[in-house]
Amino acid sequence: MNLLPRNTSLFDFDNLFDNFLAPTTTQNQGDVPFAPRVDVSEKKDRYEISAELPGVDKKDIDVTLDNGILTISAESRYEDKEEKEGRVIRQERRYGKFVRSFNLGTDVKDQDIKAEFKDGLLKLNVPRLEEKQAVSKRIEIH
């Protein structure tokens, strides 16, 4: 099982300086997905994955397992509120789609994964299966 994120790249400028270059005002950022912050812990019999999903309703979260790829996706909707007094000086919260994927391997089944969402934190418990050792056999040449 390989729990390395599938969307990691060498030049991840979005997180390079922890959003150092974030715009000073933000409107709806559309359909541009970004990855929520995730903690992955290894336990004796399982992996624990915790993902921050601030401002997201439980009904807007989708966790799928497809061909060994665990994908967490959710959507945070823009709050369109009218300012009666004053104006918004700075708005840093992100709106739009959250996406994060992990390669679990094909041996993990969806019914074995336990999910819980509370206070903006999604917690997943994924069983830790024994890795199959690669078998090397010599092929005789005739």
Side-chain angles (χ1 to χ4, degrees), residues 63-66 70 107-115 125 127:
V63 179
T64 60
L65 182 65
D66 186 27
L70 176 74
D107 292 337
V108 176
K109 306 295 181 224
D110 60 341
Q111 62 267 23
D112 297 333
I113 299 172
K114 307 294 182 225
N125 285 308

Side-chain angles (χ1 to χ4, degrees), residues 27-28 77-83 88 91 93 95:
Q27 295 299 318
N28 188 350
R77 300 194 193 325
Y78 178 71
E79 297 175 20
D80 191 19
K81 50 186 173 177
E82 189 176 313
E83 295 292 328
V88 176
Q91 188 171 0
R93 292 183 293 159
Y95 301 98

Side-chain angles (χ1 to χ4, degrees), residues 53-68:
L53 299 173
V56 177
D57 288 329
K58 182 178 174 181
K59 65 179 175 47
D60 294 329
I61 300 172
D62 192 26
V63 179
T64 60
L65 182 65
D66 186 27
N67 291 325

